[in-house]
Amino acid sequence: MSQTERLKEFKKSVNNKFNVYNSLFLNLPYQNTENVGILIPLLVHQCQEGLKNGKNPQDILEEFFENFASLDTEKARIDFMFRIIQYVERQVVLFDSVEDAAFPKMHEHSLSLSIKDYFQLVDKNKSWDKVADKLSNFSARIVLTAHPTQFYTPAVLDIIDELRSLILEDRIDDIDIALQQLGLTSLINLKKPTPLDEAKNIIYTLRNVYYDAVGSLYSYIKENIKDDKFENHKIMQLGFWPGGDRDGNPYVTAKITKEVADELRVNLMKCYYNDLKVLQKKLTFKELDAHIKELRESLYIAMFDTRKHVGYENIIKPLEAIRELLVDKYHSLYLKDLDNLIDKVKIFKTHFAILDIRQDHSQHTKTVEAILKKNKIIDKSLDELTTAKLRDVLLKEELSVSVKDYDDPIVKDTIRNISQLRGIQRKNGVESCDRYIISNSEDMFSVLFVYGLFRWCGWDDDKITFDIVPLFETMKGMETSEATMEALFKIPQYRAHLERRGNKHTIMLGFSDGTKDGGYVKANWSIFKTKENLSKICKKNDVKAIFFDGRGGPPARGGGKTHRFYAAQTKDIANHEIQLTIQGQTITSTYGTKEQFMHNSEQLLTAGLSNNIFGKENVISKESRKLLEELSELSFEKYDALKHHDKFMPYLEDMSTLKYYTKANIGSRPGKRGNKKKLELSDLRAISFVGSWSQLKQNVPGYFGIGTAIQTMKEEGKLRDLKKLYKEVPLFRALMLNSMMSLSKCYFELTSYMKDNEEYGEFWNILHEEYLLSKKMLLMISGSKILMENEAVSRESIKIRENIVLPLLVIQQNALQKIGQKSEFIELYEKIVTRSLYGNINASRNSA
């Protein structure tokens, strides 16, 4: 289908419907807000015209209040602005609902490859043996993280779900009532969520969307594959970080990890119980009664009592006994329904999603040091030991540790958590929690410290049922990653551990901190090369490399179009599984409904499989690599100079929303690492860093340096080479298209008043010039006339969303200005900044 038809469908199913329901919504009479809804379209127009004409946000609002809202006192104006924010964030919810409801219709006009299309292609290429073999072993895992880049409460998610259904049926009166409900339901957390709250929020999606979606996807693959014996229940897996990810979050404790593991299991039992209840109404046959009743009773107990748990065998065996009777005695009646439940049980077992444990290397260093001091192996510091001696202590020394011997909370919790992981495996199954990820890995000790800690916390060497996963996220970590893995493979004890784990090694490569550290192109190119090098080293050592990608949502966090990213991998990158993190707006926008989940999971699978099956392997020539290398270094130089500009951190602290992220009750994790008084870039969380640039509508981490790099190469006479690179190398094209997406969400007019600022005017100009240059250069090498030229629907969606949040952004900038001017209402203006974060972040859902 052409882009034109998709755009036509979008205008009909999304744009027009939103306009109808939005006008309905804006006329709803809420308490003290009689005129607010009616004034919003007028305010949008004033903001658009004012910013286009170079006006200051403060002046735009001043004129609006004087000419249209008749509000004379500052206090009355502040109250009005709060009500605007409440309306705008609900408009975003409404647009989300309309867009989600239109997804099946839009999908009919999609050009992307479904599993069915893919199998037809396989038929044509006569490559069934190859694909059946690959499908039997291939796996994609999406790992849900707690990172708060979109935050709707379960109550609001229920309303969105209800609105989706009503919009599909055009039930205008019921939509009216649901919009009234939305208007009166709070969209914000009254207090900071705990890690358990975050986990429950995401388990809500597991239970209400993914449980059925994964089951349906598996059935769909089974029906379409020409292989009766097909059975790969790991083809689509779910991973889970909330409650296990303690990196930089002191609130994730051993107790929380245990509670989240219980929560996952209990919610899965509820899903099984409900399915069995529905099935029981169909399987009304005498000899099945006892089996069904017994299984129902054990599931019922396991649903409410976390001390009681049903083992996998105790669920699957009764179901298989029922199946046998159904086939032998009852004409296989409702066999398909029963098989669907059996498949779900084989997929989710007793864990639902695989809970990962993650911690920063520095915390393990602290714990190991404390243990060795206590055992008199060192006096003060690990530096007292040679590399060889420290390695021997970790691999051979028999120490037993006890929580009560230590005072430091991190040390106590690390020991307590590693000691309790066997209990979680006992209740939820061994594969329920079998990976320990180490952030900021830079040498072999990042892995060996964890190996040693397992040994000292009561795990026998031959019974460590955990994969120890280094996360190479900084430039240094990536540079030393080959040496790190090579050193590990040479250690006999570690090799023996790998053999017990199936001679596979999962390696995580992080995007968020890489992008923050090295700039967009260098971070992504470094990750790509690191993958190729690590694939070689693993292959040489007969180890299967599994890459786990820490992809954020927007390109600035290493995200962007996922299918495009995986389809651009070369044949030199190990491709046994696809594993990636999804979070925030990516959970709701890309995998938020059953239809979206199935479609995007199919895209993941076809991208991963296509590289192997059809011989269209991407190869990047030496010349192309040289160009990419040069571009990467030039863009890094420009980004690095910006990073070290003396106004870089002060600008973020004084002119952006950076310090308000921690006040927003968005997530449980502190906004920065450590307690230093002076804020440093390395302490900053990627979410608040990238989010602050996004709120400014400057999106610096997603493109900065690219314009200068391309212009420099153009001056060296390499423009034709770059155009060729864009046309022929999928990786380069994917990176440039992602940057164009970041650029298309920039709106420097919003902050153009800053160019006259005495302290920051020059710095703002540096940002603005690079934005203009990057846009110009990217259009030049891609041959496009406008940004996102071939993505008309995404472009249109972004445009509508940006229009919805424009008043909110102008109000936010006005509040930041008032705070800078030390207004007497400073506290209220600070609240306005904090409150305005929500709608803008939620509106950015189509970044990935």
Side-chain angles (χ1 to χ4, degrees):
M1 293 281 176
S2 72
Q3 222 191 147
T4 319
E5 283 171 305
R6 268 176 67 73
L7 192 57
K8 206 187 286 177
E9 186 58 58
F10 180 87
K11 288 190 169 160
K12 192 171 85 182
S13 299
V14 180
N15 200 353
N16 296 349
K17 279 196 177 186
F18 172 70
N19 287 335
V20 170
Y21 301 135
N22 189 37
S23 60
L24 190 70
F25 175 64
L26 293 178
N27 284 298
L28 288 176
Y30 294 123
Q31 190 182 3
N32 304 324
T33 55
E34 284 74 19
N35 302 318
V36 176
I38 296 157
L39 287 171
I40 283 177
L42 193 56
L43 179 57
V44 171
H45 180 72
Q46 291 298 111
C47 292
Q48 284 170 336
E49 290 303 304
L51 292 172
K52 205 189 289 175
N53 295 321
K55 284 186 181 170
N56 184 324
Q58 223 166 336
D59 297 337
I60 292 169
L61 286 172
E62 193 71 37
E63 277 180 39
F64 175 78
F65 287 131
E66 278 177 20
N67 299 333
F68 303 103
S70 311
L71 296 167
D72 302 326
T73 70
E74 192 163 2
K75 181 71 176 68
R77 291 176 176 189
I78 288 170
D79 289 345
F80 182 85
M81 286 188 273
F82 271 117
R83 293 204 290 275
I84 290 281
I85 291 169
Q86 287 168 345
Y87 259 98
V88 168
E89 60 192 10
R90 284 165 176 78
Q91 283 179 290
V92 173
V93 171
L94 176 59
F95 189 74
D96 282 353
S97 306
V98 173
E99 202 166 42
D100 288 348
F103 182 81
K105 268 271 198 305
M106 296 298 300
H107 184 38
E108 285 171 22
H109 300 280
S110 169
L111 288 168
S112 38
L113 206 62
S114 72
I115 289 282
K116 218 176 208 167
D117 301 331
Y118 178 75
F119 288 160
Q120 282 170 2
L121 216 54
V122 173
D123 245 359
K124 223 164 94 182
N125 284 272
K126 305 279 183 284
S127 44
W128 264 113
D129 292 348
K130 210 173 172 187
V131 83
D133 180 53
K134 187 72 186 169
L135 268 172
S136 299
N137 298 296
F138 195 72
S139 171
R141 184 187 302 197
I142 57 171
V143 179
L144 303 129
T145 79
H147 300 164
T149 47
Q150 185 172 54
F151 26 81
Y152 290 138
T153 60
V156 176
L157 289 171
D158 279 334
I159 295 171
I160 292 177
D161 197 38
E162 176 68 4
L163 275 170
R164 264 198 301 261
S165 311
L166 297 173
I167 287 164
L168 274 170
E169 294 169 33
D170 284 322
R171 285 159 56 187
I172 198 104
D173 293 338
D174 294 325
I175 290 167
D176 189 17
I177 292 165
L179 289 174
Q180 288 183 53
Q181 181 192 353
L182 175 65
L184 299 167
T185 302
S186 174
L187 264 70
I188 60 164
N189 297 317
L190 296 173
K191 58 183 197 306
K192 224 171 173 48
T194 66
L196 187 58
D197 294 332
E198 288 173 331
K200 284 179 175 176
N201 268 4
I202 296 175
I203 289 170
Y204 171 95
T205 309
L206 282 181
R207 197 175 153 189
N208 290 285
V209 181
Y210 298 167
Y211 174 72
D212 275 336
V214 175
S216 297
L217 180 69
Y218 188 78
S219 301
Y220 178 64
I221 292 169
K222 216 160 74 164
E223 279 165 24
N224 284 286
I225 193 169
K226 291 184 179 174
D227 181 0
D228 299 335
K229 293 189 189 77
F230 173 74
E231 191 169 350
N232 175 8
H233 291 97
K234 290 186 174 180
I235 194 161
M236 197 72 217
Q237 293 182 296
L238 299 173
F240 203 79
W241 273 19
D245 179 11
R246 57 233 321 117
D247 175 14
N249 192 342
Y251 308 114
V252 177
T253 59
K255 182 175 179 282
I256 289 282
T257 301
K258 184 179 172 298
E259 285 174 345
V260 170
D262 285 342
E263 199 69 34
L264 282 163
R265 186 186 66 256
V266 162
N267 275 278
L268 178 61
M269 296 306 126
K270 287 175 183 172
C271 293
Y272 289 162
Y273 181 83
N274 290 335
D275 270 6
L276 193 60
K277 207 162 87 174
V278 170
L279 206 51
Q280 193 174 15
K281 290 179 181 172
K282 295 175 178 177
L283 305 181
T284 50
F285 317 124
K286 192 180 175 186
E287 288 188 46
L288 307 186
D289 265 4
H291 293 290
I292 294 175
K293 193 166 180 262
E294 194 183 330
L295 182 54
R296 257 189 82 166
E297 278 169 11
S298 55
L299 288 171
Y300 189 79
I301 294 165
M303 277 160 54
F304 298 109
D305 188 345
T306 54
R307 291 165 304 175
K308 304 274 172 64
H309 59 280
V310 192
Y312 169 67
E313 292 299 326
N314 297 336
I315 301 172
I316 203 71
K317 278 187 176 157
L319 288 173
E320 285 175 341
I322 292 166
R323 190 184 196 281
E324 212 173 301
L325 286 166
L326 200 59
V327 173
D328 290 350
K329 299 194 172 183
Y330 299 105
H331 312 298
S332 298
L333 214 55
Y334 298 116
L335 183 64
K336 193 179 171 191
D337 296 327
L338 177 62
D339 277 346
N340 285 346
L341 177 56
I342 288 172
D343 281 333
K344 282 180 187 171
V345 173
K346 286 181 176 178
I347 292 164
F348 299 117
K349 299 200 169 155
T350 48
H351 58 258
F352 216 159
I354 297 156
L355 182 62
D356 284 341
I357 307 297
R358 181 170 82 127
Q359 180 57 291
D360 192 83
H361 174 52
S362 60
Q363 307 299 356
H364 300 136
T365 307
K366 184 193 274 193
T367 307
V368 168
E369 199 162 66
I371 291 169
L372 297 189
K373 267 200 276 190
K374 182 81 189 160
N375 285 272
K376 310 230 174 334
I377 292 169
I378 57 171
D379 288 328
K380 287 182 180 165
S381 158
L382 292 175
D383 297 340
E384 296 160 31
L385 302 175
T386 63
T387 297
K389 178 63 180 159
L390 179 55
R391 191 183 59 210
D392 283 352
V393 168
L394 294 161
L395 295 167
K396 296 172 186 171
E397 198 74 45
E398 296 298 333
L399 305 174
S400 66
V401 298
S402 170
V403 169
K404 63 179 189 307
D405 292 337
Y406 302 92
D407 298 321
D408 187 295
I410 287 285
V411 173
K412 285 169 93 79
D413 195 71
T414 303
I415 295 167
R416 188 178 284 125
N417 188 50
I418 293 175
S419 304
Q420 75 162 359
L421 293 174
R422 263 177 315 197
I424 290 174
Q425 288 190 343
R426 215 168 21 247
K427 274 184 165 185
N428 289 21
V430 171
E431 64 197 86
S432 67
C433 179
D434 64 353
R435 303 204 299 189
Y436 199 118
I437 298 156
I438 306 115
S439 309
N440 279 308
S441 291
E442 290 185 350
D443 61 27
M444 69 173 176
F445 286 112
S446 55
V447 170
L448 292 184
F449 282 175
V450 173
Y451 185 81
L453 286 167
F454 267 89
R455 292 180 65 246
W456 301 335
C457 290
W459 294 69
D460 295 336
D461 286 51
D462 59 349
K463 291 193 179 118
I464 298 175
T465 45
F466 261 77
D467 293 331
I468 303 171
V469 180
L471 163 49
F472 301 116
E473 52 191 323
T474 59
M475 291 295 128
K476 186 187 171 194
M478 282 187 268
E479 280 158 22
T480 56
S481 62
E482 291 167 73
T484 298
M485 296 313 295
E486 195 71 86
L488 287 168
F489 292 150
K490 282 181 180 150
I491 298 169
Q493 293 92 328
Y494 193 70
R495 275 311 305 235
H497 168 69
L498 283 184
E499 273 170 42
R500 288 188 292 273
R501 301 298 294 157
N503 271 323
K504 286 179 178 180
H505 206 302
T506 304
I507 300 166
M508 188 172 180
L509 295 159
F511 285 71
S512 303
D513 282 304
T515 303
K516 192 184 85 180
D517 192 24
Y520 185 67
V521 180
K522 181 162 175 128
N524 281 278
W525 177 231
S526 298
I527 284 163
F528 193 84
K529 288 187 297 179
T530 304
K531 274 188 172 183
E532 290 186 327
N533 296 336
L534 291 175
S535 297
K536 264 184 219 138
I537 282 166
C538 288
K539 198 174 180 184
K540 187 180 90 182
N541 286 280
D542 295 320
V543 172
K544 196 184 260 191
I546 309 289
F547 290 114
F548 176 20
D549 295 310
R551 290 170 63 74
R557 295 204 62 222
K561 299 286 184 187
T562 300
H563 179 269
R564 203 187 271 158
F565 168 76
Y566 283 108
Q569 308 289 288
T570 61
K571 67 177 174 56
D572 296 323
I573 290 175
N575 183 35
H576 308 294
E577 292 184 20
I578 280 179
Q579 296 190 6
L580 72 158
T581 56
I582 64 163
Q583 63 209 36
Q585 79 265 41
T586 325
I587 294 175
T588 46
S589 66
T590 314
Y591 299 93
T593 65
K594 187 176 172 179
E595 293 83 5
Q596 286 170 325
F597 178 93
M598 287 180 70
H599 169 72
N600 286 299
S601 296
E602 282 184 51
Q603 295 306 291
L604 263 189
L605 290 169
T606 55
L609 292 165
S610 297
N611 285 347
N612 292 57
I613 306 293
F614 300 125
K616 292 180 189 165
E617 290 160 334
N618 298 320
V619 178
I620 305 179
S621 68
K622 268 188 186 164
E623 295 77 15
S624 296
R625 282 175 182 272
K626 210 173 149 202
L627 283 171
L628 265 162
E629 197 63 53
E630 190 182 341
L631 189 88
S632 136
E633 285 309 317
L634 286 167
S635 65
F636 174 66
E637 277 168 33
K638 181 74 176 174
Y639 175 74
D640 200 47
L642 183 78
K643 232 171 58 172
H644 290 100
H645 193 290
D646 61 352
K647 294 292 180 233
F648 186 80
M649 288 307 293
Y651 178 81
L652 274 176
E653 287 188 274
D654 297 342
M655 306 302 277
S656 85
T657 57
L658 182 67
K659 55 186 157 202
Y660 298 93
Y661 265 79
T662 46
K663 298 178 183 180
N665 291 339
I666 295 167
S668 67
R669 190 194 247 178
K672 66 184 180 74
R673 295 178 173 94
N675 307 309
K676 291 180 208 153
K677 274 196 175 163
K678 188 175 185 296
L679 187 64
E680 290 173 21
L681 183 60
S682 57
D683 301 326
L684 265 189
R685 290 256 155 238
I687 283 177
S688 42
F689 175 69
V690 171
S692 300
W693 289 115
S694 167
Q695 299 272 334
L696 281 167
K697 289 290 153 206
Q698 292 173 353
N699 293 333
V700 163
Y703 65 84
F704 197 90
I706 288 175
T708 296
I710 295 173
Q711 187 182 46
T712 307
M713 290 174 80
K714 176 180 171 250
E715 284 162 5
E716 291 170 4
K718 293 174 183 167
L719 181 62
R720 183 182 287 178
D721 296 335
L722 285 172
K723 286 183 172 181
K724 188 168 179 266
L725 193 69
Y726 181 86
K727 203 173 171 184
E728 292 175 4
V729 177
L731 170 73
F732 180 64
R733 190 163 59 250
L735 293 180
M736 297 305 104
L737 287 168
N738 280 342
S739 277
M740 287 197 246
M741 188 195 290
S742 280
L743 287 162
S744 71
K745 290 190 166 193
C746 289
Y747 189 50
F748 272 82
E749 288 88 338
L750 178 71
T751 54
S752 65
Y753 70 91
M754 291 181 190
K755 67 174 178 281
D756 302 321
N757 183 292
E758 207 173 301
E759 191 176 351
Y760 297 111
E762 183 206 333
F763 187 79
W764 185 90
N765 277 319
I766 292 171
L767 302 178
H768 187 228
E769 280 163 20
E770 186 63 18
Y771 156 75
L772 292 173
L773 185 61
S774 297
K775 189 174 165 182
K776 183 182 170 186
M777 292 295 124
L778 282 168
L779 290 175
M780 187 183 289
I781 62 163
S782 65
S784 305
K785 291 185 177 64
I786 53 168
L787 295 171
M788 296 179 74
E789 189 170 71
N790 296 318
E791 296 172 71
V793 169
S794 292
R795 210 170 58 231
E796 199 61 27
S797 175
I798 289 168
K799 193 170 123 191
I800 296 169
R801 286 172 181 279
E802 301 289 300
N803 265 339
I804 293 170
V805 293
L806 188 59
L808 187 147
L809 290 167
V810 169
I811 285 169
Q812 185 185 85
Q813 284 299 318
N814 169 66
L816 286 167
Q817 286 178 278
K818 294 279 191 186
I819 293 162
Q821 292 154 6
K822 305 279 187 284
S823 158
E824 62 174 301
F825 296 102
I826 198 158
E827 279 184 26
L828 285 172
Y829 281 117
E830 286 185 330
K831 268 189 182 168
I832 279 182
V833 176
T834 305
R835 284 288 282 109
S836 62
L837 289 171
Y838 289 83
N840 188 31
I841 292 173
N842 287 340
S844 298
R845 73 188 300 209
N846 51 6
S847 307

